[in-house]
Amino acid sequence: MGIHSEAQLNRKFMEFIKLLNIYLNHFPKHEKYALAKRIRNTAYELYDYITEAQKKYFKKTTLTLLDITHEKLRMQIYLAYELGYFKFKNGKAESNVSAGHRIQAITNLIDELGKMIGGWIKKIKEQNNW
């Protein structure tokens, strides 16, 4: 992954984390220190692995952990959606909040991050550094 691609990945993650934090702040109060915190921590762990992989010479283990953490994040967000937490605004369920719009926006960013991570892994495999 070149410097340009790394910068794109960093920018995409920043876009994702800003939106994610807005949505997590609206989760029900009883979940702010449970699933919301877990999702936030997994997202920060994902960024840690991005940074680590950018700096390491041998990237196989870190990229594998990055890929696994990305999938954990995807599943945690799906769980929150299934539990109805994207329908909340300021900690209270509201009928006028579009959970579908929120989940679509956040999953689009997760998918874009996944594509970038997958491309990075593919490139490293092609260079026989895997």
Side-chain angles (χ1 to χ4, degrees):
M1 182 176 250
I3 292 172
H4 180 68
S5 299
E6 290 175 9
Q8 283 181 322
L9 181 59
N10 289 337
R11 276 194 300 275
K12 187 57 65 179
F13 181 83
M14 289 304 160
E15 182 182 343
F16 164 75
I17 199 68
K18 287 176 185 177
L19 185 62
L20 180 67
N21 274 312
I22 291 169
Y23 292 162
L24 293 178
N25 288 335
H26 288 290
F27 272 32
K29 290 179 183 177
H30 70 275
E31 280 299 333
K32 286 199 178 187
Y33 299 104
L35 185 56
K37 183 178 180 180
R38 186 170 185 126
I39 291 170
R40 189 174 279 115
N41 287 341
T42 303
Y44 295 153
E45 182 181 1
L46 183 75
Y47 193 60
D48 289 344
Y49 286 130
I50 290 170
T51 304
E52 196 174 316
Q54 290 172 348
K55 295 298 180 184
K56 282 190 168 182
Y57 180 76
F58 294 106
K59 302 176 185 308
K60 180 180 177 182
T61 303
T62 307
L63 286 175
T64 300
L65 292 171
L66 175 61
D67 193 34
I68 291 167
T69 303
H70 175 264
E71 189 59 27
K72 284 181 186 179
L73 183 60
R74 179 190 307 278
M75 297 309 295
Q76 290 168 359
I77 288 175
Y78 179 71
L79 175 62
Y81 173 73
E82 286 296 313
L83 292 172
Y85 297 157
F86 283 94
K87 295 177 187 174
F88 282 72
K89 185 173 182 179
N90 296 323
K92 297 178 180 155
E94 292 192 6
S95 59
N96 63 344
V97 173
S98 175
H101 172 73
R102 287 181 175 183
I103 193 66
Q104 188 65 46
I106 206 73
T107 55
N108 283 346
L109 290 170
I110 289 173
D111 290 346
E112 290 179 44
L113 285 170
K115 288 175 185 175
M116 295 171 116
I117 292 165
W120 195 2
I121 291 170
K122 183 179 177 184
K123 182 177 178 191
I124 295 299
K125 282 183 177 181
E126 288 171 355
Q127 293 174 344
N128 294 323
N129 292 333
W130 197 257

